[in-house]
Amino acid sequence: MTDSKGFFLTFEGGEGAGKSTQISLLRDFLASKGIDVVLTREPGGSAGAEAIRELLLNGAEDKWDPVSEVLLFSAARRNHLQTKVFPALSAGKWVLCDRFADSTMAYQGYAYGEKSVPLSDIEALYKIAAGDFQPDLTFILDIPVEEGLKRVEARSEAITRFEQMKLDFHKKLRSAYVNIADANPERCVLINAADTKERIHERIVSLVMQRLF
Ligand SMILES: Nc1ncnc2c1ncn2[C@@H]1O[C@H](COP(=O)(O)OP(=O)(O)OP(=O)(O)O)[C@@H](O)[C@H]1O
Ligand SMILES: [Mg+2]
């Protein structure tokens, strides 16, 4: 689906793990090396997908059931890839994406417990939305749930639907991300996100240098 010349890097992990912080530090580092970087996020990143983001993140916890969520995320993902990510990669840019398909798998595929969507359905919808496209490298930021949520509370931004979920939801989420990292060692690196911002950034830079330069 894309004649990719750039790299697509994704940042994953639970609420407050430090994804947005690290993505912005890496953007600054790459820009200082003269690399053309596009910073984006899911759900969202393009006009259509940002409109879907509003529907997904705001409102009551039970506003959507997990299947409806996967369908909305998939539509947003396709729009985002087609209108923003693929054109940037074709132009040789590096695209850094704050959350991507591993979050769909972790949230809708694991964290809802019995109400989770079968993994095979999530994989099938990914294929419909994105074809064979995969990130070149994924950082999974891992932090104890309570610590991540404490960071979110301290941040003074509006609380989203997912941040309102119960502690058990966030614990399932954390172990799902660890499973995803274990199952995809070529693509994913699990990062200890309880460390300082600076040390996490150094680790991410050294992994990028090792794997992509
Ligand atoms: N390593 C760190 N140590 C201490 N505080 C941190 C660290 N990384 C980020 N923070 C702070 O924690 C808060 C959450 O970080 P950030 O917004 O980057 O997380 P996030 O993973 O993007 O969260 P969300 O899932 O809600 O988007 C911010 O206020 C940020 O400044
Ligand atoms: Mg964030």
Side-chain angles (χ1 to χ4, degrees):
M1 266 171 103
T2 171
D3 49 343
S4 180
K5 291 200 288 271
F7 291 112
F8 185 61
L9 281 68
T10 58
F11 289 69
E12 300 276 12
E15 315 290 331
K19 301 174 292 297
S20 304
T21 303
Q22 291 303 326
I23 211 168
S24 134
L25 290 171
L26 184 62
R27 187 249 326 258
D28 294 347
F29 170 81
L30 292 171
S32 78
K33 300 275 167 232
I35 292 171
D36 211 344
V37 183
V38 173
L39 208 161
T40 191
R41 66 176 180 182
E42 275 210 356
S46 57
E50 286 289 331
I52 297 176
R53 179 185 180 93
E54 291 296 312
L55 299 175
L56 277 163
L57 297 193
N58 300 322
E61 240 180 83
D62 59 357
K63 180 176 160 195
W64 303 109
D65 84 316
V67 173
S68 310
E69 280 179 0
V70 179
L71 294 168
L72 286 165
F73 273 105
S74 302
R77 178 163 303 142
R78 184 166 177 82
N79 180 264
H80 178 222
L81 289 173
Q82 284 186 322
T83 64
K84 185 168 185 181
V85 176
F86 292 163
L89 292 173
S90 299
K93 296 177 184 174
W94 290 43
V95 179
L96 309 185
C97 191
D98 196 333
R99 293 191 181 280
F100 190 61
D102 296 319
S103 284
T104 313
M105 196 53 101
Y107 280 70
Q108 283 73 35
Y110 288 95
Y112 282 107
E114 282 171 13
K115 288 197 212 146
S116 294
V117 181
L119 304 184
S120 55
D121 288 352
I122 296 181
E123 279 162 8
L125 281 165
Y126 179 83
K127 195 120 189 147
I128 291 171
D132 294 327
F133 178 72
Q134 286 290 331
D136 296 291
L137 184 55
T138 297
F139 298 108
I140 297 188
L141 302 186
D142 180 56
I143 190 166
V145 168
E146 289 84 351
E147 220 168 306
L149 292 175
K150 240 186 265 165
R151 286 184 186 174
V152 168
E153 271 171 38
R155 193 174 51 184
S156 79
E157 277 175 23
I159 297 293
T160 68
R161 276 184 64 233
F162 293 109
E163 285 160 4
Q164 295 166 37
M165 301 289 181
K166 298 196 169 47
L167 204 58
D168 179 59
F169 180 92
H170 295 285
K171 291 197 164 151
K172 287 201 179 74
L173 196 56
R174 184 184 182 197
S175 58
Y177 278 121
V178 173
N179 290 344
I180 290 168
D182 284 348
N184 298 280
E186 299 284 300
R187 172 174 68 81
C188 298
V189 187
L190 194 71
I191 306 271
N192 171 19
D195 209 342
T196 64
K197 291 180 191 179
E198 296 73 22
R199 275 208 292 266
I200 297 167
H201 175 60
E202 277 168 26
R203 171 131 173 77
I204 287 175
V205 165
S206 92
L207 285 158
V208 166
M209 303 296 274
Q210 257 174 49
R211 296 202 180 203
L212 301 181
F213 275 88

